Amino acid sequence: MDKDIYASVVVDQAHPSIDRHFDYIVPEELMGDYLVGKRVLVPFGISNKAIKAYVLKVSNYTQLPHNRLKSIIKVLDKEPVLSERAIPLIYWMKKKYHCMLIDAINAFIPPGIRKNTRPNRPKMVHLKILDGLDAYMEQVGKRSRYMADILDVLYKNDGDLPLNIISGDTGAPASSFNGLVKRGLIDIYEGQPDIANFSDMHGQKCELPELTVEQKEALDIIRNTIAKGKSNILLHGVTGSGKTEVYMRAVGDIVAKGKQAIILVPEISLTPQTISRFKMRFGNRVAVLHSRLSDGERAFEWKRILHGEVDMVVGVRSAVFAPFKNLGIIIIDEAHDDSYKSEGRPRYHAVDVAKERCNLEESVLVIGTATPSIEQYYDMTKGEYTLVEMKNRVDKRRMPPVEVVDMRDELIKGNRTMFSQALYISIKEVLDRREQAILLLNRRGYAQFVSCRSCGWVAKCKRCDVSLTYHADGRILKCHYCGRRYRYPYVCPNCGSHFIKQFGVGTQRLEEQLSKMFPDVRTVRMDMDTTSTKDAHEKILAAFRRGEYDILLGTQMIAKGLDFPNVTLVGVITADTSLNLPEYKSAEKTFQLVTQVAGRTGRGDRGGKVIVQSYEPNHYAIEYASHHDYEAFYKKEINLREQFLYPPFSNIIKILIIGDVEKDTIELSHRISEWLVKNIDNDIILKNGLISIGANPAPIDKIDNRYRWQVLIKIRPDAMFDGVYHCLVDRCIEEFGNKEQNVIIDFYPVSLL
Ligand code: ADP
Ligand code: ZN
Ligand code: ZN
């Protein structure tokens, strides 16, 4: 029976006990079929129930004795749903993220394909008239703001757009679209936008803009790299330096060579503007994958990619798995953004996956951002990326001035409100001029830190250099890394003042104070409370864009990706709230936030102003951000990371324990950490690799009435230690995890909150 062929399959059932290959005989009638990457039906288990499975390998060898082998029942796909090139990446993901094979496979295949949903073409909207549009907009605007908004979005975007992108952007319901169709102003059709609808709409040809000197230099380096083959590039360019234009030129080169491109953007940046910029340039050869697509629509776009009907995809995180056959480049915009990290199964990071995919498929990786993460920049200094810099804005406009206000002075002057005098005056001016402002509360989670309002001193752990967290019960402060407890400091150890306060103000209070000071002001809040329903986010932003409100108040969720021409003031109420999170990345996050906020204003003709309030105005994160000085920030920060052994000078493994009963959750956390400590103590390599370990309440210690504890293991950064610790934690999960589905391991957490 030498001529038998065997298929190694992974069955489509997520269970740890069957997380491996199973070999099946390929029956004679299927031998001519190319099976790798296809789905098949196989008899499984004692009952021989037929279940779905993915073929990952075909060979003429198996370790199993012949009498134990069963045969494949049936092939389900005409063409593979997994490309052969995806398979090494699937194994890499399993190894790196310790996920099940089927979880890794599922990342490659959209739900609509998995469930065999009928693919349907995304609905497109076409603007039928251009002449006299203003008059029409005014006319329909009287009946419904939404209708006018739809027309406005279409007009500004030079071409047809997917319907759900417009409805997301405007918040408009189906009835508004129907209303416009009835009036003969728009068409709705299924299918690909007609390229004719994109060019020349405003009488301007789709001519490529002349590149700036910096863009030319950047592109030259990227082109040289493309010519050489695979390589990684870090494009460090300030906001408005024209990175997107550089991306598009590089993509143009790749496509001209007959290869394909993946362009990743954070969800919030995947706006009609982004889409139409690519559609204008490349027409129908662009697929778009965003999270508002239905399963059927996503399946449709995915099949266009699979069949080679497009040359590129612009999409969010999961588009990194797009089934291109001859990938030339992956571009990741705003590469520092945490939304590239998946918090579901598998817990992958799109930048890491992209790096590995480019490595395997000999493609070029370009990561672009104004504020690289410390790890990314560090990797660059170690030679993992070629650095390309763009230091100036395209239009030569200066970066907006950032005014840092010292809130300690305000206190001395007797001002106990949340608004400094400078911010108060600026808000008043904005309201007088009928412009708009954004106020940011900058509160991540609910962690509370304690600080002196007279001198800005912040209670920190002496061993870990992170802010201590306030616990109302017992008036103690606790370090969330090592668990050390500290007494509540009723008197400031730095200046002797009694003005010690815990921080953590809400947007609601901000709104109250604001309406007391400016009785007529129209404010809208965007925070966890107001955005819990689906699309609430978009609706608030759309209303603000329409000018229904003067001031948008919110948490950092409003900081990025927003471009409001009428906004001339951005205020950060307390920059310190993110500075003093119990997390080693707090300075980095603060730097990114202030830089990003500064990049958002002053894009329109009116210029703009940024006011940052702080009790620690001299903190390096705030100071360097206000001077737009990334390098100085990096130098300072990387030294601190080294001194206190934080990433990239250590790796942190997070074990999150979630439970309904507080006592049980705490007990399980302690059992887990004791088990780990015992095993580490017994092994010389584990012991050498350990920096610290501790079980503590998570900084956000209760979400949805469920208690959260975490065990943090900090280890030395070395592949060998990674290896042994990953094994140890896997064993730990076997020991404690399966019984209670509430132990979550994150080997590469982007946040410790
Ligand atoms: P970034 O992504 O770096 O923040 P963008 O790519 O969004 O910057 O560019 C900012 C603006 O400058 C955009 O409106 C873009 O159309 C315009 N732009 C980019 N490159 C050029 C150029 N070479 N000439 C004229 N305008 C440009
Ligand atoms: Zn500590
Ligand atoms: Zn003090």
Side-chain angles (χ1 to χ4, degrees):
M1 296 298 253
D2 290 323
K3 274 183 269 139
D4 270 347
I5 298 182
Y6 310 99
S8 297
V9 308
V10 173
V11 298
D12 189 15
Q13 273 181 14
H15 199 278
S17 64
I18 52 171
D19 177 30
R20 57 189 171 89
H21 293 129
F22 292 90
D23 287 355
Y24 283 86
I25 296 173
V26 178
E28 222 173 292
E29 68 271 19
L30 293 178
M31 279 191 186
D33 197 348
Y34 185 80
L35 291 179
V36 174
K38 289 185 183 171
R39 286 171 293 187
V40 292
L41 272 188
V42 294
F44 195 73
I46 312 168
S47 62
N48 279 332
K49 194 176 150 218
I51 63 173
K52 227 186 269 172
Y54 293 86
V55 179
L56 293 195
K57 201 176 89 185
V58 173
S59 78
N60 43 25
Y61 174 76
T62 179
Q63 282 185 321
L64 285 181
H66 211 267
N67 58 3
R68 289 191 47 201
L69 281 165
K70 304 173 197 171
S71 288
I72 290 177
I73 301 169
K74 187 176 163 191
V75 181
L76 297 171
D77 293 310
K78 277 210 201 72
E79 56 186 338
V81 288
L82 282 172
S83 96
E84 209 155 351
R85 313 195 89 173
I87 291 168
L89 206 51
I90 288 168
Y91 290 113
W92 175 85
M93 285 177 73
K94 168 155 183 67
K95 183 153 182 279
K96 173 137 181 141
Y97 301 115
H98 297 242
C99 59
M100 289 182 251
L101 281 167
I102 191 66
D103 289 334
I105 290 170
N106 284 340
F108 283 79
I109 302 172
I113 299 289
R114 268 183 262 152
K115 290 183 279 188
N116 291 320
T117 315
R118 197 177 66 84
N120 48 36
R121 298 158 171 270
K123 282 201 179 75
M124 299 293 296
V125 184
H126 171 61
L127 180 60
K128 284 170 78 178
I129 42 100
L130 276 177
D131 288 339
L133 187 66
D134 282 345
Y136 281 114
M137 271 167 68
E138 208 182 309
Q139 195 190 329
V140 296
K142 281 188 197 126
R143 288 194 59 93
S144 139
R145 265 323 306 170
Y146 288 131
M147 287 205 254
D149 282 348
I150 295 168
L151 296 179
D152 190 46
V153 168
L154 281 165
Y155 177 73
K156 286 197 181 125
N157 283 282
D158 303 284
D160 301 0
L161 283 167
L163 187 143
N164 43 25
I165 287 278
I166 304 177
S167 63
D169 204 50
T170 57
S175 58
S176 306
F177 287 93
N178 295 337
L180 289 170
V181 172
K182 258 189 230 136
R183 288 173 174 76
L185 297 174
I186 61 168
D187 270 339
I188 296 177
Y189 61 98
E190 281 190 357
Q192 282 315 303
D194 186 349
I195 183 61
N197 292 335
F198 274 102
S199 51
D200 217 19
M201 189 163 155
H202 296 296
Q204 65 194 10
K205 285 262 178 297
C206 266
E207 267 170 22
L208 305 186
E210 175 132 11
L211 295 180
T212 65
V213 176
E214 281 189 327
Q215 283 175 323
K216 267 198 205 103
E217 286 170 1
L219 199 61
D220 279 345
I221 302 178
I222 296 173
R223 283 188 170 138
N224 285 336
T225 312
I226 293 174
K228 270 189 290 182
K230 68 176 173 188
S231 178
N232 305 329
I233 292 170
L234 169 61
L235 176 57
H236 182 202
V238 299
T239 17
S241 57
K243 294 188 285 296
T244 312
E245 184 61 37
V246 174
Y247 302 151
M248 289 196 292
R249 299 289 176 108
V251 168
D253 284 9
I254 290 288
V255 170
K257 288 181 178 209
K259 295 187 174 185
Q260 296 97 38
I262 295 174
I263 300 102
L264 299 186
V265 294
E267 179 72 44
I268 196 138
S269 316
L270 196 52
T271 58
Q273 286 91 327
T274 315
I275 294 168
S276 65
R277 275 174 88 176
F278 278 88
K279 290 261 188 199
M280 289 255 278
R281 186 72 55 91
F282 300 105
N284 293 348
R285 307 284 300 174
V286 185
V288 179
L289 289 175
H290 58 86
S291 58
R292 266 186 245 114
L293 294 174
S294 68
D295 283 356
E297 290 171 335
R298 197 185 313 266
F300 181 84
E301 289 294 87
W302 190 83
K303 288 210 152 168
R304 290 210 306 144
I305 299 170
L306 187 73
H307 295 154
E309 290 165 24
V310 298
D311 300 314
M312 70 198 72
V313 59
V314 181
V316 295
R317 182 174 69 215
S318 58
V320 75
F321 300 107
F324 284 122
K325 297 200 169 72
N326 192 7
L327 183 69
I329 196 169
I330 300 182
I331 291 167
I332 305 183
D333 193 29
E334 309 281 354
H336 63 277
D337 198 276
D338 281 350
S339 71
Y340 288 123
K341 169 76 194 295
S342 158
E343 300 294 351
R345 276 186 0 202
R347 306 176 85 80
Y348 68 91
H349 199 297
V351 177
D352 292 332
V353 175
K355 214 193 245 176
E356 184 61 18
R357 183 166 180 187
C358 286
N359 179 35
L360 289 167
E361 302 186 23
E362 314 228 312
S363 317
V364 173
L365 172 66
V366 176
I367 66 171
T369 165
T371 51
S373 76
I374 294 294
E375 280 102 324
Q376 285 164 353
Y377 208 78
Y378 178 78
D379 287 347
M380 182 278 293
T381 66
K382 294 289 160 207
E384 274 195 45
Y385 294 95
T386 305
L387 178 66
V388 179
E389 289 182 301
M390 290 173 33
K391 298 191 166 183
N392 299 290
R393 288 186 158 185
V394 168
D395 50 14
K396 303 255 158 48
R397 227 194 308 250
R398 296 238 313 275
M399 298 300 283
V402 177
E403 186 182 337
V404 181
V405 178
D406 189 339
M407 291 303 278
R408 296 169 303 188
D409 291 347
E410 300 292 318
L411 191 68
I412 293 169
K413 285 187 223 148
N415 177 6
R416 288 191 192 178
T417 70
M418 292 154 82
F419 298 89
S420 64
Q421 201 180 3
L423 184 57
Y424 174 84
I425 291 170
S426 297
I427 293 174
K428 193 162 179 326
E429 282 170 4
V430 163
L431 295 178
D432 287 346
R433 289 196 305 255
R434 305 200 162 273
E435 292 165 358
Q436 290 177 301
I438 294 178
L439 296 181
L440 239 101
L441 199 59
N442 186 20
R443 183 183 60 154
R444 270 167 71 94
Y446 299 95
Q448 300 213 317
F449 69 97
V450 169
S451 96
C452 168
R453 291 189 72 173
S454 300
C455 76
W457 170 84
V458 173
K460 284 187 175 177
C461 176
K462 295 192 173 67
R463 218 159 68 188
C464 307
D465 196 46
V466 294
S467 333
L468 298 170
T469 301
Y470 170 75
H471 287 253
D473 50 327
R475 297 286 270 173
I476 53 152
L477 304 179
K478 239 181 132 173
C479 170
H480 280 284
Y481 278 71
C482 69
R484 243 163 103 154
R485 295 151 161 265
Y486 295 80
R487 277 225 307 277
Y488 190 90
Y490 291 95
V491 176
C492 173
N494 188 43
C495 74
S497 158
H498 288 264
F499 244 117
I500 304 276
K501 266 197 78 148
Q502 69 258 26
F503 268 73
V505 260
T507 33
Q508 229 165 339
R509 234 186 81 208
L510 184 68
E511 195 172 31
E512 281 163 23
Q513 286 204 3
L514 204 57
S515 58
K516 248 187 234 156
M517 289 186 203
F518 306 100
D520 299 328
V521 72
R522 298 168 304 161
T523 56
V524 61
R525 266 196 303 137
M526 194 155 102
D527 53 27
M528 303 274 252
D529 302 333
T530 60
T531 53
S532 48
T533 57
K534 192 169 165 276
D535 290 344
H537 210 118
E538 283 90 357
K539 284 194 180 125
I540 292 171
L541 292 180
F544 183 62
R545 182 169 284 128
R546 283 195 298 268
E548 287 173 21
Y549 301 100
D550 307 307
I551 298 182
L552 173 63
L553 302 171
T555 46
Q556 63 289 332
M557 64 166 82
I558 61 178
K560 59 185 165 192
L562 309 177
D563 217 345
F564 300 104
N566 201 32
V567 169
T568 54
L569 171 70
V570 175
V572 180
I573 299 298
T574 38
D576 315 308
T577 2
S578 73
L579 210 45
N580 293 305
L581 289 174
E583 140 130 294
Y584 70 92
K585 279 189 188 171
S586 59
E588 178 180 345
K589 298 273 181 229
T590 305
F591 182 87
Q592 284 172 351
L593 179 88
V594 175
T595 307
Q596 246 163 28
V597 163
R600 286 302 140 211
T601 41
R603 283 217 172 178
D605 302 327
R606 285 178 249 232
K609 185 170 172 187
V610 181
I611 293 182
V612 175
Q613 303 191 142
S614 170
Y615 288 92
E616 280 181 275
N618 302 322
H619 190 285
Y620 63 96
I622 291 173
E623 200 163 298
Y624 291 138
S626 69
H627 297 128
H628 309 286
D629 191 348
Y630 180 85
E631 277 83 11
F633 170 73
Y634 173 78
K635 259 192 208 133
K636 172 93 186 168
E637 180 68 16
I638 198 78
N639 280 330
L640 284 173
R641 297 273 179 102
E642 187 163 21
Q643 192 184 336
F644 290 96
L645 295 178
Y646 284 117
F649 302 98
S650 66
N651 287 330
I652 293 175
I653 301 170
K654 176 167 107 172
I655 305 175
L656 183 64
I657 298 113
I658 301 175
D660 296 326
V661 183
E662 189 174 19
K663 193 171 135 278
D664 298 350
T665 312
I666 298 172
E667 202 185 275
L668 181 60
S669 317
H670 285 309
R671 266 171 43 221
I672 287 176
S673 87
E674 279 155 24
W675 185 93
L676 287 166
V677 168
K678 203 176 83 206
N679 280 278
I680 294 167
D681 269 344
N682 289 334
D683 182 298
I684 186 79
I685 301 178
L686 286 171
K687 221 166 162 173
N688 283 340
L690 186 71
I691 297 170
S692 68
I693 180 169
N696 288 290
I700 308 170
D701 56 8
K702 206 172 165 191
I703 293 180
D704 275 350
N705 268 331
R706 306 193 75 197
Y707 295 90
R708 295 154 59 89
W709 271 60
Q710 60 191 19
V711 178
L712 294 180
I713 315 173
K714 203 158 112 180
I715 61 174
R716 298 192 185 279
D718 182 304
M720 176 180 71
F721 295 136
D722 267 1
V724 290
Y725 268 92
H726 285 204
C727 283
L728 177 72
V729 172
D730 278 349
R731 267 168 55 213
C732 175
I733 274 292
E734 265 166 43
E735 189 87 12
F736 297 97
N738 296 338
K739 289 164 245 157
E740 320 163 49
Q741 274 295 318
N742 50 9
V743 180
I744 299 163
I745 311 278
D746 201 335
F747 289 99
Y748 308 93
V750 291
S751 162
L752 300 180
L753 296 186

